[in-house]
Amino acid sequence: MKKLLILGAGAGGTMLATKMRKKLSEREWEITVIDRDLTHHYQPGWLFIPFGIDTPKGCEKPKKDFIPRGVNFVKDTITNVDPEAKVVTCEGGKYSYDWVVIATGCRIAPDEVEGLLDDWRGNIHDFYTPDGAAALLPKIKNFKKGRLVHHICETPIKCPVAPLEFIYLADWYFTKMGVRDNIEIELVTPLTGAFTKPVAAKILGELCDKKNIKVTPNFVVDSVDAGNKTIASVTGDEIDYDLLVTIPPNMGQQFLIDSDIADPMGFMDTDKGTLKSKKYPNMYVIGDTTNVPTSKAGSVAHYEADIIAENLMSDIDGSEHYHHFDGHSTCFIVTGYEKASLIDFSYDVEPLPGMFPFPGVGPCALLGESHINYWGKLMFKWVYYSLMLKGHELPFEPNMYLHGKDTSLMRKK
């Protein structure tokens, strides 16, 4: 019996396990998923918790609900990966493999920034964890006057559009509460603008201007002074705050660093096309754990799962006919007032204005606000739980219509 081991039962690991169980004979292949947590978190929902739109419980479901029949689900804590011996060590035992997929995501590391933890959950908050988002809810509710600073410590981060969504929702929420005129909102970012790509950065930055949200770019954090309520950059600039909502450094899992198979940030060196490990044979990497130059987002993990499933079968069959990931990402951006924008891009195609999924018809606007986009964002939660995690094909594959091009062809060699 041959063994496929999947480390992590988040979005990427779960989708891939479902796809591979359909492709591999149960008589010949044992598929095991290992995760330390029994609860599946719908991470895009965390953004809404501080504004009372969603709840922590509303973003949780049992992971076993999505693990398909014929896949072993093991709750255990991984401590080491030995790619030479093809053995994964956990607190509860060891697991050998023929092929392994690293799908362990990434985590916030506030301890990496001096002073960030000194007033943690006091006047310094995050929404990149369910507990953090829940703790921020009463703080936002009772914030009537002062400076709200939303700060990105460094990149890469999960869901690069989430900082914009947070400040847009803060503008909407405080306006609805009648206190917006008393509150300054500022986005402080190490990027050169509101977003990473120039066209989108200009359009989304102009939307910040329209909402009276200040964007401070090129701010590389050095430390936080919780006593004086200031953040300092490496060049000595300081920004004061009354409420700091921070996105701490994002890192891969510590056991990958300890196993000496990841970079110092815990990310795996991954071929951006095939999604194979560049350093270790019989290993693929999916989702936030990769270092490929695209967003760390659920849509990316969905597209990557298709590629890895095909490439794993090519390896197993010995055909060496590999499909290539084009870096595709699709992201709704909530802008407040029951509106949202939408961006759709890849390694080689930046987000551009237009209509989606059908050019000129839509119905969703690319880099344009609409109510349809907002309801699409909310509907995505149902699509995620009901279709994506259970391995069902979506009604259409969005990248087929990217700016009028069938970019699914870009995936293939």
Side-chain angles (χ1 to χ4, degrees), residues 31-44:
I31 300 177
T32 300
V33 178
I34 303 176
D35 199 292
R36 64 188 175 191
D37 188 3
L38 294 176
T39 302
H40 188 97
H41 296 276
Y42 179 69
Q43 296 184 47

Side-chain angles (χ1 to χ4, degrees), residues 114-120 123-124 223-231 238-242 244:
E114 181 184 347
L116 193 58
L117 287 174
D118 289 350
D119 193 20
W120 194 245
N123 290 307
I124 301 175
S223 61
V224 176
D225 185 336
N228 290 315
K229 293 185 179 179
T230 59
I231 56 176
E238 290 189 350
I239 293 175
D240 63 295
Y241 65 86
D242 294 297
L244 180 64

Side-chain angles (χ1 to χ4, degrees), residues 21 63 77 104 137 142 152 159 224 284 292 316 322 332 360 374 387 396 403:
R21 187 68 287 171
K63 285 182 176 174
T77 299
T104 48
L137 172 62
N142 295 316
I152 306 169
C159 191
V224 176
Y284 280 89
V292 301
I316 291 168
Y322 295 123
F332 286 102
Y374 177 76
L387 299 177
F396 58 83
H403 311 307

Side-chain angles (χ1 to χ4, degrees), residues 26 91 133 215:
E26 291 190 46
E91 290 180 353
V215 178

Side-chain angles (χ1 to χ4, degrees), residues 87-334:
V87 171
V88 172
T89 301
C90 301
E91 290 180 353
K94 294 187 176 184
Y95 300 85
S96 61
Y97 65 83
D98 294 282
W99 287 90
V100 66
V101 179
I102 311 294
T104 48
C106 63
R107 59 191 168 92
I108 61 168
D111 54 305
E112 292 289 315
V113 177
E114 181 184 347
L116 193 58
L117 287 174
D118 289 350
D119 193 20
W120 194 245
R121 307 281 164 82
N123 290 307
I124 301 175
H125 285 261
D126 80 288
F127 62 90
Y128 266 53
T129 61
D131 291 344
L136 183 54
L137 172 62
K139 201 72 179 181
I140 291 289
K141 184 178 181 180
N142 295 316
F143 194 68
K144 309 296 184 183
K145 182 179 181 180
R147 283 179 47 78
L148 169 63
V149 174
H150 186 29
H151 170 235
I152 306 169
C153 288
E154 63 183 34
T155 58
I157 59 173
K158 291 191 285 188
C159 191
V161 300
L164 287 166
E165 292 184 287
F166 181 84
I167 58 173
Y168 293 151
L169 281 171
D171 167 72
W172 159 78
Y173 181 84
F174 292 132
T175 300
K176 185 180 74 168
M177 295 294 104
V179 296
R180 179 66 177 91
D181 290 342
N182 301 324
I183 295 174
E184 299 176 55
I185 301 176
E186 183 172 352
L187 174 65
V188 181
T189 174
L191 302 176
T192 57
F195 193 64
T196 55
K197 307 292 184 181
V199 174
K202 181 176 184 297
I203 293 172
L204 296 170
E206 288 173 350
L207 187 57
C208 290
D209 293 338
K210 180 181 176 182
K211 294 176 180 292
N212 194 28
I213 297 170
K214 182 180 180 181
V215 178
T216 299
N218 302 310
F219 191 99
V220 180
V221 68
D222 177 67
S223 61
V224 176
D225 185 336
N228 290 315
K229 293 185 179 179
T230 59
I231 56 176
S233 74
V234 294
T235 58
D237 297 319
E238 290 189 350
I239 293 175
D240 63 295
Y241 65 86
D242 294 297
L243 175 59
L244 180 64
V245 180
T246 186
I247 300 178
N250 281 208
M251 297 180 66
Q253 303 305 324
Q254 186 62 43
F255 77 84
L256 297 174
I257 299 172
D258 295 341
S259 300
D260 199 26
I261 63 172
D263 66 23
M265 292 294 290
F267 298 120
M268 299 291 294
D269 197 7
T270 309
D271 185 284
K272 72 174 188 177
T274 64
L275 301 176
K276 273 187 164 184
S277 166
K278 286 186 177 180
K279 296 182 178 179
Y280 306 107
N282 298 70
M283 179 184 291
Y284 280 89
V285 192
I286 189 172
D288 295 350
T289 315
T290 75
N291 69 346
V292 301
T294 190
S295 297
K296 296 186 183 300
S299 65
V300 173
H302 165 64
Y303 301 135
E304 288 177 338
D306 288 330
I307 299 299
I308 292 177
E310 294 296 332
N311 288 349
L312 259 172
M313 291 307 298
S314 294
D315 283 319
I316 291 168
D317 295 339
S319 70
E320 296 187 355
H321 177 71
Y322 295 123
H323 291 237
H324 282 68
F325 181 51
D326 62 5
H328 195 76
S329 180
T330 307
C331 299
F332 286 102
I333 305 172
V334 175

